[in-house]
Amino acid sequence: MTQQIAIKEGLFTWPAEKPELLGSRCIHCGEAAFPAQNDCRACGSRETEITALGNRGTLWTWTIQSFMPKSPYLSDETPETFKPYGVGYVEMPGGVRVESRFELIEGQVPHIGMSLDLVILPFRTDESGQEIMMFSFKPAEE
Amino acid sequence: MDVAIIGIGLHPFGRSPTLTGQQQGASAIRTALADAGLTWKDMQFAYGGSQDGGNADALVNELGLTGLQFTNIWNGCATGGSSLHAAYTAIKSGEYDIGVVVGFDKHARGAFNPKPSDWGLDDWYGESGMMLTTQFFAMKFQRYMHDHGISNDSLIRVSEKAFQNGALTPTAWRREALSYEQIANSMMVSDPLRKYMFCSPAEGGAALILCNANIAERYTKKPIYLKAAAVRTRHYGSFEVFSPSQAMNVADAPTVTASKAAFELAGLGPKDVDVMQLQDTDSGTEIIHMAENGFCEHGEQEMLLREGATKIDGAMPVNTDGGCLANGEPVGASGLRQVHEICVQLRGEGGARQVPGSPKVGYTHVYGAPGLSGVNILTR
Ligand SMILES: [Zn+2]
């Protein structure tokens, strides 16, 4: 069976039945950040704690990456197999807007305010055959 | 004490395959010195910078080892603005009477490819395909269109004007006007921004000779006075490039604070400005910057652009030399190219692209990664 590992520890709960994004919250001013930060950029405090940011959000802004990016992008794709993907900021119930890829649905134009669900998807396979798992979003099914 | 610009020089933007970045910087300095009737030996100080063109202070190898104070400045897209600010304070403080600022660059073809670690980011951010400046500018403008009722028509008109002006500017890189349809139908790069709505990395050099205004008349009949120079960085909540997350409350951009500081220093307001240079990394940013610099309200741009207000003969001419869209962006030189163009306009030397009515007050604005802005106000 293929081993699946997170692209980076601490970005999301994994493995988990219902994964959530993980960020940090300042215990002084309450501001949240993603990924988790040791220091608070809002008030300069050095006391932050890890917090779950949720797994459903709304799209705050978006674009479509229509060509295959060059380095530092690192995927298994070739320019021929590359599929355009959405990039947006997703407003999370944890109180922060997280930049993320999101899945495009054929024939459906993304729009600001649309509801999105967190998904953890295989992004690429590394040299040892492990699947690198990355967070993304897909349009929510109401 | 006032600071005057008495010499201006540009090495043409675009591609100079036989010249290094430093040679293009030296070329701009030689032109600026000739314009002021001065020699390199007359320079008491120099500030300069480049992203990919090498060290600025190595220009002494081209120009002569005169022993002057030469300080390298590197401050992202505000490199030129920061060099100019340093020269401005050096003269205002009374320490020096006359010196030079220079910016130059020579970038590889195609988009920049940033390293996540240079920006304090982890590798996953770049590897997963979110570290592209084109995405950021597209997302910033997508939201701006939503909040302020701006349409694609405005984006197309900004590009149309840029290439019209570039066609009138001998030192510009892109010198061919493009039709509205050519721009509207060009390849979609990052929704809503298309190919002809982005500037490209390029090459070029720009230099300015500055002096204490009390002695400016010795060197030129047309001194241009640098009334204000201000550089500011982002506040918490400002929506900036390469940010894995954004705060819920969006703060004013650094442009807003730099602009206010500059107007206050100069004792002038947006209504006093006759000709302006606004950072146009893409067409969308020029539209945002019209409002962030105080020249209109957010949302008014759609009507202003439809009326042609930002064209050379309009009420508020923007980027009369074609801006970054037509000149490309050699990062180190770009901010000083803006000041060069404003000097040309205030001297009345714009030729086919001269703003009518003898403009008296000019304004320049840069904005860039990682959230900083530089503003200069110039008068004649
Ligand atoms: Zn805090």
Side-chain angles (χ1 to χ4, degrees):
Chain A
M1 187 190 141
T2 318
Q3 188 88 24
Q4 296 187 325
I5 59 165
I7 192 164
K8 169 91 182 168
E9 281 295 314
L11 296 180
F12 43 86
T13 51
W14 179 263
E17 201 165 311
K18 215 163 185 224
E20 285 192 84
L21 285 180
L22 293 174
S24 59
R25 189 177 310 284
C26 172
I27 65 170
H28 292 275
C29 74
E31 279 291 308
F34 175 87
Q37 309 278 319
N38 292 324
D39 308 314
C40 173
R41 288 177 189 174
C43 75
S45 143
R46 306 214 61 188
E47 294 176 289
T48 60
E49 57 190 15
I50 303 294
T51 185
L53 298 173
N55 50 26
R56 175 172 283 195
T58 54
L59 192 59
W60 186 71
T61 187
W62 62 275
T63 188
I64 292 171
Q65 181 59 38
S66 50
F67 58 90
M68 186 165 147
K70 57 181 188 177
S71 166
Y73 187 60
L74 186 63
S75 75
D76 298 330
E77 299 157 302
T78 64
E80 289 71 41
T81 63
F82 172 81
K83 284 203 186 68
Y85 55 90
V87 178
Y89 279 86
V90 184
E91 200 166 304
M92 300 302 293
V96 67
R97 298 183 179 120
V98 173
E99 187 178 9
S100 178
R101 293 172 62 123
F102 65 94
E103 310 305 306
L104 297 169
I105 310 274
E106 180 116 15
Q108 199 178 309
V109 181
H111 62 272
I112 287 172
M114 72 192 281
S115 215
L116 294 167
D117 281 332
L118 182 72
V119 285
I120 309 296
L121 300 173
F123 176 62
R124 66 183 172 92
T125 305
D126 72 8
E127 313 75 50
S128 57
Q130 299 183 109
E131 276 186 330
I132 306 297
M133 305 301 286
M134 174 62 185
F135 67 93
S136 181
F137 283 84
K138 65 171 175 46
E141 288 155 30
E142 295 308 328
Chain B
M1 186 188 300
D2 266 345
V3 176
I5 298 172
I6 51 170
I8 61 174
L10 212 60
H11 179 82
F13 278 34
R15 296 282 171 210
S16 294
T18 61
L19 297 179
T20 66
Q22 284 161 339
Q23 286 169 330
Q24 296 177 53
S27 157
I29 290 181
R30 287 192 196 97
T31 307
L33 286 169
D35 182 49
L38 288 164
T39 67
W40 178 241
K41 287 192 189 74
D42 299 315
M43 297 297 103
Q44 299 166 355
F45 70 84
Y47 290 97
S50 168
Q51 175 173 299
D52 295 333
N55 297 337
D57 63 346
L59 293 185
V60 295
N61 293 331
E62 303 274 339
L63 296 160
L65 306 176
T66 62
L68 85 170
Q69 175 190 321
F70 201 132
T71 306
N72 291 338
I73 302 257
W74 168 241
N75 209 5
C77 297
T79 294
S82 294
S83 294
L84 191 54
H85 181 266
Y88 171 81
T89 54
I91 291 171
K92 262 196 127 59
S93 73
E95 187 174 359
Y96 289 117
D97 283 326
I98 194 159
V100 59
V101 295
V102 61
F104 56 92
D105 242 313
K106 190 177 179 85
H107 303 299
R109 282 162 203 277
F112 297 114
N113 47 339
K115 282 217 318 267
S117 58
D118 287 348
W119 298 85
L121 295 164
D122 278 326
D123 287 341
W124 68 265
Y125 183 69
E127 290 176 1
S128 64
M130 295 195 281
M131 199 164 184
L132 286 86
T133 54
T134 44
Q135 291 173 355
F136 164 73
F137 287 113
M139 287 192 285
K140 188 161 184 170
F141 202 67
Q142 189 85 257
R143 183 72 203 185
Y144 196 83
M145 292 169 95
H146 174 268
D147 287 348
H148 301 292
I150 306 283
S151 76
N152 287 314
D153 177 68
S154 289
L155 286 172
I156 300 162
R157 288 180 192 274
V158 168
S159 295
E160 195 184 16
K161 183 241 336 154
F163 295 113
Q164 270 168 9
N165 293 355
L168 302 174
T169 306
T171 53
W173 183 19
R174 314 269 187 212
R175 300 212 53 214
E176 202 180 313
L178 295 172
S179 71
Y180 187 98
E181 290 70 30
Q182 278 175 300
I183 298 160
N185 297 323
S186 64
M187 188 187 77
M188 183 66 86
V189 172
S190 206
D191 196 300
L193 300 175
R194 294 175 182 273
K195 180 182 169 192
Y196 291 130
M197 297 173 183
F198 279 106
C199 84
S200 308
E203 301 176 26
L208 307 167
I209 313 296
L210 294 100
C211 76
N212 183 325
N214 295 335
I215 59 169
E217 308 269 343
R218 285 185 212 165
Y219 308 106
T220 178
K221 288 193 184 68
K222 297 177 185 173
I224 303 298
Y225 300 100
L226 180 57
K227 303 302 276 189
V231 179
R232 292 290 185 275
T233 61
R234 64 200 184 280
H235 287 97
Y236 179 71
S238 177
F239 185 19
E240 303 296 344
V241 70
F242 302 156
S243 301
S245 69
Q246 290 286 344
M248 297 295 280
N249 290 320
V250 178
D252 276 346
T255 293
V256 175
T257 44
S259 175
K260 279 187 182 147
F263 276 126
E264 205 173 296
L265 264 172
L268 294 166
K271 290 206 162 49
D272 298 314
V273 174
D274 301 313
V275 55
M276 61 197 82
Q277 282 274 334
L278 304 178
Q279 177 83 27
D280 57 332
T281 313
D282 65 283
S283 304
T285 52
E286 179 171 316
I287 294 169
I288 296 174
H289 293 149
M290 288 166 68
E292 284 185 347
N293 285 287
F295 296 113
C296 67
E297 295 298 322
H298 292 289
E300 276 181 357
Q301 299 97 324
E302 182 91 359
M303 191 190 68
L304 287 167
L305 288 162
R306 211 180 308 132
E307 289 170 350
T310 61
K311 292 186 175 181
I312 286 168
D313 59 355
M316 48 177 293
V318 175
N319 299 340
T320 44
D321 60 352
C324 294
L325 288 171
N327 286 277
E329 193 179 18
V331 172
S334 198
L336 297 179
R337 189 242 333 132
Q338 295 185 328
V339 177
H340 181 280
E341 174 62 9
I342 293 297
C343 290
V344 166
Q345 291 289 340
L346 297 185
R347 287 170 166 193
E349 296 170 353
R353 67 180 193 284
Q354 178 63 43
V355 168
S358 307
K360 286 188 180 60
V361 178
Y363 184 98
T364 72
H365 158 262
V366 291
Y367 163 79
L372 79 173
S373 177
V375 169
N376 300 293
I377 297 175
L378 303 113
T379 64
R380 65 174 165 86

